[in-house]
Amino acid sequence: MSEIIKKNLSEIIELIKKKEIKSEELAQLYIDEANKSKKLNSFITTCFDNTIKKAKEFDKKPNSASLLPGIPLAVKDLFCTNGFRTTAGSKMLENFVPNYESTVTENLWKEGAILLGKLNCDEYAMGSSNETSYFGNVINPIAKNTVPGGSSGGSASALAANLTPATIGTDTGGSIRQPASFTGTVGLKPTYGLCSRWGIVAFASSLDQAGPMTKSVKDCAIMLEAMAGFDKKDSTSIDKKKENYSKNLKPNIKGLKIGIPKEYRVENMPKEIDELWNKGKSILKDLGANLIDITLPHTKYALPTYYIVAPAEASSNLARYDGVKYGYRSSQGKDLIGMYENTRSEGFGDEVKRRILIGTYVLSSGYYDAYYLKAQKVRQLIKKDFDENFAKVDAILTPSTPSSAFKIGEKTNDPISMYLNDIFTVPVNLAGLPAISVPAGLDKKGYPLGLQLIGKTLDEQNILNIAYAFEKNCNFNNEIKKWWL
Amino acid sequence: MSIDKEKIIHISKLARISIDSKKSDSLAKDLTSIFKFIEQLNEINTDKIEPLSSILNTPLRTREDKVDDGKIRDKILKNSPKKNEEFFVVPKVIE
């Protein structure tokens, strides 16, 4: 029985459909495993009693026609869940219980999934190592004292440790793809507007996108299909027909043109990453793809652009936390302004404050043109780089991250070195494109590394197909020893 | 651009976050290095480039100006840290 939780989502769905396991039994297996794995700190909140209740309801009236029949799922604690605490990893929302449900999670429950609990993340999704969470560091199951990446670190850790059969995260600058790469799992950031942002705690609204994190590419297609869809409650939601990503998943990539951007070979990149990238190229070439050298000349400016745009939007979005309508309120302060200032000082952590201050500064009178407007112009150039190349190629192959998972505390004293983690993932968010990170190999420490496939706008099916073909031919094996049990 | 302590105090006032003196020193150091990094953008000439404010090609959708939920006062008040009957309570404001 305990072998079941090691299986991929698609296999578990089959077991449920064939009635080889009940939803309640399945839920109990994950609950037992989560209870044994508290050392990883991947959960902020669990709601196991409710999980069992819902699983029993499913078993009484099983609907195997749905996409996720009776499947227990834990989700990043950035998605508002009706009646269940949603913290965004912040003291500010420590006791916040939403009375509405995010559209994306609602879509999952409509397809038969059942909430297991809420997964740890960097505070307000600001971080690349899950070390900024008010609820503590998350441990990467691949090794003691190692970060799972961030900001969807709890999601990646729980998935890799078999505490949930699949999960969802959000990706503003790499927060799905980087932790997926660090834990040997699959993570997809969809086209901006494919998944509704409604009910997700906002970070940077022009960049935020929800997406699946899974053990296989097929699982990823199933989850994306369940999550995605037009939502009139999100003004940037794309109004289009739902696609059957899992049904249309085909590992045939013969004749596809894959771009290889020279700018992604960055200075001081470990040799292993370069070798892995070469391995990826040769696998795709052997499968019949044509590799084409391309240039994305503004790549190096993506991170500086991001560190203007994202904090600017964050400083506006986080202005709502004033201690009045919901969330934490300080008891200090002699007047209204004093109450605001103390609430925000005590409620936000250091990284969040740092980004609010950057954002406030770049939007302040006299500096707007020099920083924010400049960044929006460079963002245009970054998008143009992609647009021009996508006239020539079908997808782009790059490494997902410039290194494998690092130790806890290794980068916390130097914000720039932490930010550099997202060097390969950020350009995609700025251009609003879909991209998937697929596990591709292990470094000499035995830590997983991923490769990233970037697609055209709304071309998720294509990058899923390439990733599927790649996965079948890559022989990636990431057997995690359960050292924490 | 170097960010000094005074500037940190000014920005934190604008952002309504109280910052103590020791914190403002370390924030000044962090923000100086971050802005040095950000200012790489000055290498690029963007005189003739249009700013990109949204990656969607279509304008934002608008909706009819009509109440479609409403009657959720108690739900909204439920998460308030301090309330009195149907009101949010804030410290006394006298101008």
Side-chain angles (χ1 to χ4, degrees), chain A residues 97 99 192 234 237 301 308 323-326 329 341 344-345 350 354 361 371 374 376-377 380, chain B residues 1 13 15-16 18 23 30 35 38-39 41 43-44 46 50 52 55 61 75 79-81 89:
Chain A
V97 180
N99 41 42
Y192 181 78
D234 171 1
S237 173
Y301 300 110
I308 294 174
V324 176
K325 298 178 290 299
Y326 53 92
R329 178 193 287 205
E341 289 181 339
R344 293 164 63 77
S345 179
D350 285 347
R354 206 182 275 143
Y361 187 54
Y371 291 112
K374 179 84 186 182
Q376 284 191 312
K377 288 179 173 184
Q380 184 79 268
Chain B
M1 142 128 39
K13 275 270 161 219
R16 297 275 190 257
S18 88
K23 247 299 143 24
D30 287 349
F35 275 92
I38 284 173
E39 282 163 7
L41 296 187
E43 294 166 13
I44 323 170
T46 50
E50 278 294 308
L52 180 96
I55 48 101
R61 267 188 320 280
K75 271 185 160 187
N79 272 302
S80 169
V89 175

Side-chain angles (χ1 to χ4, degrees), chain B residues 5-19:
Chain B
K5 203 170 157 174
E6 253 169 60
K7 204 161 255 165
I8 293 289
I9 291 166
H10 172 66
I11 312 167
S12 59
K13 275 270 161 219
L14 293 176
R16 297 275 190 257
I17 299 177
S18 88
I19 305 273

Side-chain angles (χ1 to χ4, degrees), chain A residues 328-334 339 342-343 346:
Chain A
Y328 176 78
R329 178 193 287 205
S330 170
S331 55
Q332 308 295 313
K334 58 181 185 338
M339 186 278 280
N342 287 303
T343 291
E346 293 161 25

Side-chain angles (χ1 to χ4, degrees), chain A residues 232, chain B residues 63-73 76:
Chain A
K232 67 177 192 310
Chain B
R63 63 168 175 83
E64 206 187 327
D65 188 12
K66 205 174 107 193
V67 176
D68 62 0
D69 42 20
K71 299 199 172 74
I72 52 170
R73 186 191 67 200
I76 289 172

Side-chain angles (χ1 to χ4, degrees), chain A residues 32-47:
Chain A
D32 291 345
E33 197 69 9
N35 282 332
K36 284 189 279 179
S37 305
K38 287 182 180 158
K39 259 187 212 163
L40 299 174
N41 199 28
S42 15
F43 280 88
I44 291 177
T45 308
T46 55
C47 53

Side-chain angles (χ1 to χ4, degrees), chain A residues 421-442:
Chain A
N421 255 291
D422 297 332
I423 190 163
F424 298 144
T425 47
V426 151
V428 166
N429 298 76
L430 291 169
L433 300 169
I436 185 168
S437 176
V438 205
L442 301 174

